[in-house]
Amino acid sequence: MGPNPLVVDVDTGVDDAVALAFALAKGANLLGVTTVAGNVPVDIATRNTLDVLAWLGREDIPVHCGASRPLVASYADATDVHGGNGLGGMELPASTTSRATLAGPAFIIQCAERFAGELDLVAVGPLTNLAIALNVRPQIASQIRRVVVMGGAYSVPGNKTPSAEFNVYVDPDAAQQVFNADWNDITLLGLDVTHRTVLARELWARIPGDADGAAGLVRGATERTFTERGKSGFYLHDPLAVAVALEPDLIQGTQASISVEVTGQARGKTSASENGSGPLVAREVDSERFVRELCQVLELPTMDARAGFENPE
Ligand code: RIB
Ligand code: CA
């Protein structure tokens, strides 16, 4: 019994790129990648995803371009964090592969139908594509085996505003629709846990400058974080989502119904009411085990994951 078929929805972005590298290094059965407007406009996210897959020697994996803007709210990017090109300024060789013709939401629907009961989906950008797919074909909620979302901030401050995490902030309406759907199994990884998973500058500095493959991607894409932005650590938001899809016991959480503020000052704020139903909201993470495994599979130098970080990204 091989790994379950997997689709990853991204807004590539630096940590999205590392998440894709991690998925491939772990031997995930990656059917395809769908892209959405988030960190950068969707055309840049699509270009980046094609180039990252080519860099990793996996141009065979199709990239399906999705939503170019949120369902209702105004679009906001995160180029301050990810750089204008979305990859921290790292210039990858251009892939010779074009984006797939089928749009992102349609690809999600197609895979849910074709791999009903087996498909896992990891969403690490704004949830616009998943919400569109749900609206067009509600039965994907029962066809998709497991959904893991990087999104929200449930008992900690936000990173886009004091109360909102970026992915949910960008498309709060989509997030509310996804969180309300009756999925077989959905896990939400908020900043509550992803802020405890950090790539330390000391580790980054020990990656050889001429590294290629996944290590070279990590080195090049996160360089701006540690140099130009002067950070001591880079949050591994999206790689953690992939890791939890492959190893659910990395986190522990509680089921809760989620409400999302969709407008006003609190746009994107997520509140969890623990009531024994609804999505599993991650509360604890084995960050040491995760960071160690990430370093191992991406062939990065290892170090004590307990090292302190004074001002991560
Ligand atoms: O808040 C962090 C999330 O927003 C990550 O997925 C990052 O890539 C951005 O999309
Ligand atoms: Ca992302």
Side-chain angles (χ1 to χ4, degrees):
M1 184 76 167
N4 281 75
L6 174 70
V7 170
V8 181
D9 187 70
V10 298
D11 58 336
T12 308
V14 176
D15 60 324
D16 307 70
V18 178
L20 292 173
F22 183 74
L24 295 173
K26 286 287 288 179
N29 178 11
L30 187 57
L31 301 178
V33 183
T34 53
T35 61
V36 66
N39 289 321
V40 288
V42 70
D43 285 338
I44 297 177
T46 304
R47 174 80 268 148
N48 287 346
T49 304
L50 287 163
D51 294 350
V52 164
L53 290 173
W55 175 268
L56 297 168
R58 294 305 307 273
E59 288 182 277
D60 58 299
I61 295 175
V63 177
H64 295 261
C65 181
S68 59
R69 51 148 299 117
L71 297 182
V72 179
S74 54
Y75 168 60
D77 69 30
T79 51
D80 56 326
V81 174
H82 297 263
N85 79 340
L87 290 176
M90 182 179 189
E91 295 290 341
L92 293 177
S95 168
T96 56
T97 303
S98 303
R99 66 177 69 174
T101 49
L102 196 62
F107 180 69
I108 292 171
I109 291 169
Q110 182 185 79
C111 290
E113 185 69 35
R114 189 172 290 175
F115 297 94
E118 299 174 67
L119 181 70
D120 291 345
L121 188 137
V122 175
V124 293
L127 290 164
T128 319
N129 287 336
L130 195 48
I132 292 168
L134 264 177
N135 281 288
V136 171
R137 187 70 56 81
Q139 55 264 48
I140 66 168
S142 59
Q143 292 171 321
I144 295 176
R145 186 182 76 128
R146 278 195 77 207
V147 178
V148 178
V149 171
M150 192 281 129
Y154 302 94
S155 303
V156 297
N159 60 356
K160 177 63 181 174
T161 71
S163 58
E165 179 277 324
F166 177 77
N167 286 338
V168 174
Y169 175 86
V170 170
D171 199 336
D173 304 87
Q176 184 68 84
Q177 289 182 29
V178 168
F179 296 166
N180 284 350
D182 186 19
W183 300 99
N184 286 319
D185 178 340
I186 180 169
T187 299
L188 309 182
L189 305 181
L191 301 178
D192 315 64
V193 290
T194 67
H195 270 175
R196 296 185 223 165
T197 62
V198 186
L199 182 77
R201 178 177 40 218
E202 293 74 14
L203 185 153
W204 168 82
R206 290 168 50 208
I207 303 173
D210 61 352
D212 60 8
L217 178 68
V218 172
R219 167 95 193 179
T222 62
E223 179 171 7
R224 176 176 173 272
T225 298
F226 300 115
T227 55
E228 193 178 311
R229 302 184 67 226
K231 301 298 181 184
S232 65
F234 182 81
Y235 288 127
L236 296 162
H237 306 287
D238 297 350
L240 180 63
V242 168
V244 170
L246 300 173
E247 297 174 68
D249 65 348
L250 275 170
I251 58 100
Q252 292 176 347
T254 50
Q255 285 192 261
S257 56
I258 311 296
S259 67
V260 183
E261 295 284 345
V262 292
T263 57
Q265 286 293 313
R267 167 183 165 175
K269 178 179 168 68
T270 45
S271 306
S273 306
E274 293 181 355
N275 55 13
S277 65
L280 180 72
V281 178
R283 300 292 186 182
E284 299 299 332
V285 58
D286 187 342
S287 50
E288 191 174 333
R289 173 179 143 205
F290 163 60
V291 174
R292 187 172 60 246
E293 186 170 344
L294 179 109
C295 292
Q296 186 187 8
V297 298
L298 297 185
E299 298 180 5
L300 304 179
T302 53
M303 64 177 289
D304 179 347
R306 289 187 298 277
F309 311 102
E310 65 273 5
N311 68 329
E313 164 259 310

